[in-house]
Amino acid sequence: MCSLKVLAFEDGSFSPSRKRSHVKTVLVGVLTSNFTITRVEVRDIEVDGLDATEKAIDIAKSLQSFDLILQGSIAYGGFNFIDPEALYHEFRKPVIVVVGEIPDNEAVKNALIKHFDDWKARWSVFNKFSQVFEAHTNPRENPVYVNFVGIDLSQVKDVLKSLTVFGRFPEPLRVAWIIAKSLSKALKTTSKV
């Protein structure tokens, strides 16, 4: 399974602020094959915006050739959601969402209601993928929690085990996370110069 071409999405960090309008962070798409990075694409997304799905589709179109998409969350840049169903319908490739903790659905819904007039649209994306399933990727680590489209649970577990080298997260997501956080730090540093 390691020979899969995997597109993994992660986001960069951003400074927490009460006023997040027009604040941006990076969305990183990393394409790997046989644990080798073959391409990296980066787009800006608006923190708490509505452009993450569109930017993820744009990245995927530019990378073209992949077998599977991994998301490190539904939420990117705060409450800017990437809709796994939209990615699946656009590319007809399986999408797996991998998170480290069981989502607190009630807390997410309450935060959306409190902070967004369009909370129902945002909740509809999150809620479709809020039920998660436990998956053990590494016998020495805690499980991860997954949701998916275009693939069944037994395949998800097999794929994630084959893609996990260190810790409990699949290597493409781990690499995407490192790149996204490093880019955020570098961009924050250069913007102060």
Side-chain angles (χ1 to χ4, degrees):
M1 288 276 190
C2 299
S3 63
L4 284 175
K5 290 182 181 176
V6 178
L7 172 55
F9 288 108
E10 279 291 359
D11 62 341
S13 54
F14 55 92
S15 297
S17 163
R18 291 200 180 273
K19 298 192 178 212
R20 290 185 179 175
S21 62
H22 306 295
V23 174
K24 299 208 180 238
T25 190
V26 294
L27 176 65
V28 173
V30 175
L31 184 64
T32 62
S33 179
N34 294 320
F35 297 113
T36 300
I37 300 169
T38 59
R39 289 210 30 217
V40 176
E41 288 285 330
V42 180
R43 303 290 186 277
D44 286 340
I45 57 170
E46 193 170 327
V47 172
D48 292 338
L50 294 170
D51 60 345
T53 297
E54 171 192 331
K55 298 291 179 82
I57 288 172
D58 186 50
I59 288 172
K61 283 181 178 177
S62 72
L63 296 174
Q64 291 287 321
S65 178
F66 52 87
D67 304 308
L68 172 76
I69 297 172
L70 291 178
Q71 291 184 213
S73 180
I74 295 290
Y76 289 79
F79 288 108
N80 193 343
F81 297 144
I82 294 180
D83 186 345
E85 243 175 35
L87 292 177
Y88 177 73
H89 289 303
E90 182 75 30
F91 301 103
R92 293 294 176 197
K93 303 291 183 183
V95 181
I96 304 171
V97 180
V98 183
V99 295
E101 305 295 328
I102 297 172
D104 184 343
N105 299 338
E106 196 62 32
V108 170
K109 186 174 186 180
N110 289 337
L112 292 174
I113 290 169
K114 182 178 179 181
H115 296 289
F116 299 98
D117 292 336
D118 61 356
W119 73 268
K120 288 181 182 176
R122 293 173 193 260
W123 176 249
S124 72
V125 173
F126 181 84
N127 194 39
K128 287 186 287 188
F129 292 91
S130 62
Q131 180 186 5
V132 293
F133 304 89
E134 193 173 281
H136 292 272
T137 56
N138 183 331
R140 295 175 302 279
E141 298 284 342
N142 290 329
V144 293
Y145 300 92
V146 299
N147 203 311
F148 44 87
V149 60
I151 188 171
D152 67 43
L153 182 57
S154 65
Q155 291 173 311
V156 166
K157 290 177 177 182
D158 289 344
V159 166
L160 294 182
K161 277 182 190 173
S162 73
L163 292 172
T164 303
V165 178
F166 303 106
R168 62 186 179 138
F169 289 93
E171 196 65 10
L173 274 180
R174 196 178 74 80
V175 169
W177 183 87
I178 291 168
I179 293 170
K181 298 312 179 209
S182 297
L183 271 175
S184 293
K185 188 175 179 181
L187 292 171
K188 185 177 178 183
T189 302
T190 58
S191 67
K192 289 182 179 179
V193 177

